[in-house]
Amino acid sequence: MGVRYDGPMVRNPLTPEEHERGERLGQLLRDARGARSMVSVAAEAGVSAETLRKIETGRAPTPALFTVAALASVLGLSLDEIVLRCELVPV
């Protein structure tokens, strides 16, 4: 028997700590990108410039792991560094 779909999935609202973590991730990526254009970094990582813009501005505070990994690779960041710099801290 298949899975029944009864409408859109509802996502729990993000906590203030999760929003803060998203802002730290965005700042980290902006700093690592430096003078490189958003369009060129996004293209090299295989994501849209709009996705990168949303992450950098904190409007996408919980991007997919594969997106973060691709951006980290292009920007010369390790995932360990990202985790350490963006871990949840009480706000």
Side-chain angles (χ1 to χ4, degrees):
M1 186 178 274
V3 175
R4 182 179 165 146
Y5 175 73
D6 289 323
M9 294 182 63
V10 177
R11 182 175 179 168
N12 290 331
L14 297 176
T15 66
E17 292 84 4
E18 290 167 326
H19 279 288
E20 174 65 26
R21 179 177 58 192
E23 290 174 7
R24 284 196 309 274
L25 173 62
Q27 184 65 53
L28 176 61
L29 296 178
R30 276 193 309 278
D31 291 346
R33 183 167 58 81
R36 294 172 66 184
S37 80
M38 188 178 289
V39 172
S40 68
V41 169
E44 193 174 339
V47 301
S48 72
E50 183 59 23
T51 295
L52 179 54
R53 181 177 293 105
K54 286 180 180 178
I55 295 168
E56 285 191 358
T57 60
R59 290 187 330 208
T62 58
L65 174 62
F66 293 108
T67 300
V68 175
L71 290 166
S73 176
V74 168
L75 295 171
L77 298 169
S78 73
L79 290 178
D80 287 338
E81 177 181 5
I82 291 173
V83 169
L84 287 174
R85 302 246 330 250
C86 299
E87 65 186 341
L88 285 177
V89 293
V91 175

